[in-house]
Every structure is written in C-alpha cells, then in structure tokens.
C-alpha cells in the first residue's frame, strides 16, 4: 500500500543554484549595467544627428536603436538567471537618465519594455541555452519590443508602411548590435578568465 504525500515541495539546492541570485551576480550585473548606461547616454547624445540623416526616411533610424538594447542581452548572457535582462536594461536606463538625455526619464519605461523583450527569449529557452542564436534572438526580442512600443507611443501618425519598416530596421539592429556584439563580447571576456565565477566563463556555448 502506497501513500501520497501532500507536503509542499521545496526547491532543490541545484535548482536554487541555477536560478537564485548570488551576491557576485548582483555586483557584476550592476557593474555591467552602469557601464552600459554610460554607453546609452553617449548613444542618446548622437540621436539628433541620426534623426537629421534619416529625415527623408525616418524609419531608417531604427537601424541605430540596437545600441539601447545591449544591457539586457549582455546581462542575460553573463548572469544567466531569471530577471537579469530586465535588471540590467532597467539599471542602464536609470544611469543614462540620471546623466541626462533629451528623452528625460521616459527612458525608464523604455528600459522596462526592452528588458522584457530580451527576458522573454531567455525564458523560452528556460535559461539553459546562451549560444549566438539565442543571443541574437534576445536582441531581436528587444528590438521588436522597442519598435512596437515606440510605434504606439510616438509614431502613431506614421503610415503603416513606415511603422512596419521601423519594426524591421529595429529588429535587424537588435539582432546585430544588441545580440551578436554582446555575444562576441562575452566570448572574448570568457577567454580572459574574468568570468570564471560564472557559467558563461566555463562553458563552450558563449
């Protein structure tokens, strides 16, 4: 005769280690986010020039947007824990907003949306795969989140064809600038040994 226990299950140590954040995770994610936040600030400073260059076809400016999406993908690739993409993208946005940009503190909303776009991709792979394909898909997710939200918030008067073109341009930019480049960066850092405390520095899929 068998009995079925109704006692609640508790996370195993292995599960906690995989998904639970360590102090070193928080510290490194914060350092990465602050550093990329400075890049965000510099990237934003060049935005008026980009708008001027794309005045004949504004959707082409979407090709520049990947620079604002790197923090989430980079943090996700290094930390490999739930919430890393959102945390890094949000903190980077906060840093750029505090430094001062023409977008003001609206960057906080953008950071949340774009971080979610990347986070969803890592979640779909259950935080187990971090190869170049996943990195580029995370960049794609962030790019789609950025472009769709901006079409709703800022580009609502554009023709549908322009809105679609903006989505395509931002998606491509996300895959290359926010996906491929962070993956290459993590791969290079792993070879130096500075990521030895992370799975990203010990596995072959970086």
């Amino acid at each position: 005769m068998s009995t079925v226990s109704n006692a609640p299950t508790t996370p195993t140590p292995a599960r906690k280690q995989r998904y639970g954040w360590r102090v070193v995770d928080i510290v490194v994610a914060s350092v990465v986010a602050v550093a990329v936040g400075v890049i965000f600030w510099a990237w934003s400073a060049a935005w008026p020039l980009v708008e001027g260059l794309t005045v004949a076809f504004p959707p082409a400016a979407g090709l520049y947007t990947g620079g604002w999406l790197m923090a989430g993908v980079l943090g996700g690739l290094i930390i490999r824990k739930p919430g890393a993409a959102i945390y890094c993208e949000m903190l980077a946005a906060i840093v750029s907003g505090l430094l001062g940009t023409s977008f003001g503190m609206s960057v906080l909303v953008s950071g949340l949306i774009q971080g979610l776009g990347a986070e969803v991709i890592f979640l779909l792979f259950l935080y187990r795969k971090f190869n170049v394909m996943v990195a580029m898909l995370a960049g794609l997710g962030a790019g789609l989140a950025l472009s769709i939200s901006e079409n709703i918030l800022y580009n609502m008067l554009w023709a549908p064809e322009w809105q679609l073109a903006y989505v395509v341009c931002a998606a491509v930019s996300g895959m290359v600038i926010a996906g491929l480049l962070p993956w290459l960066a993590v791969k290079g850092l792993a070879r130096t040994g500075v990521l030895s405390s992370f799975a990203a520095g010990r596995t072959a899929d970086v």
Side-chain angles (χ1 to χ4, degrees):
M1 181 177 179
S2 61
T3 59
V4 178
S5 173
N6 293 321
T9 59
T10 57
T12 63
R15 189 179 184 86
K16 288 183 178 179
Q17 184 177 14
R18 172 177 290 276
Y19 297 116
W21 282 57
R22 305 166 298 169
V23 173
V24 67
D25 295 329
I26 298 172
V27 171
V28 171
S30 300
V31 170
V32 168
V34 170
V36 180
V38 176
I39 295 175
F40 281 6
W41 170 76
W43 204 262
S44 298
W47 179 244
L49 175 61
V50 173
E51 284 189 307
L53 293 174
T54 59
V55 65
F57 187 61
L63 294 171
Y64 185 79
T65 58
W68 287 303
L69 309 174
M70 295 186 293
V73 180
L74 188 58
L77 291 175
I78 294 175
I79 306 302
R80 304 189 172 192
K81 304 285 178 66
I86 295 176
Y87 177 80
C88 288
E89 191 72 25
M90 276 294 296
L91 182 54
I94 290 171
V95 170
S96 67
L98 291 176
L99 289 174
T101 75
S102 59
F103 304 110
M105 296 309 289
S106 67
V107 294
L108 302 187
V109 176
S110 299
L112 175 60
I113 293 171
Q114 294 154 20
L116 279 170
E119 189 76 42
V120 166
I121 301 301
F122 291 122
L123 174 61
L124 289 176
F125 288 91
L126 301 178
Y127 303 97
R128 292 177 180 273
K129 288 187 176 295
F130 300 90
N131 55 30
V132 65
M133 180 193 73
V134 174
M136 293 184 72
L137 285 175
L140 171 64
L144 291 175
L146 175 147
S147 56
I148 293 172
S149 64
E150 292 197 346
N151 277 340
I152 295 172
L153 295 173
Y154 309 117
N155 306 332
M156 69 286 288
L157 298 181
W158 284 6
E161 296 81 5
W162 275 23
Q163 292 189 9
L164 179 59
Y166 186 68
V167 170
V168 172
C169 289
V172 171
S173 183
M175 291 179 69
V176 177
I177 299 178
L180 179 60
L181 293 186
W183 181 81
L184 292 172
V186 172
K187 187 175 181 180
L189 288 171
R191 287 174 177 168
T192 68
V194 299
L195 298 179
S196 59
S197 296
F198 300 88
R202 302 190 298 269
T203 56
D205 61 352
V206 292

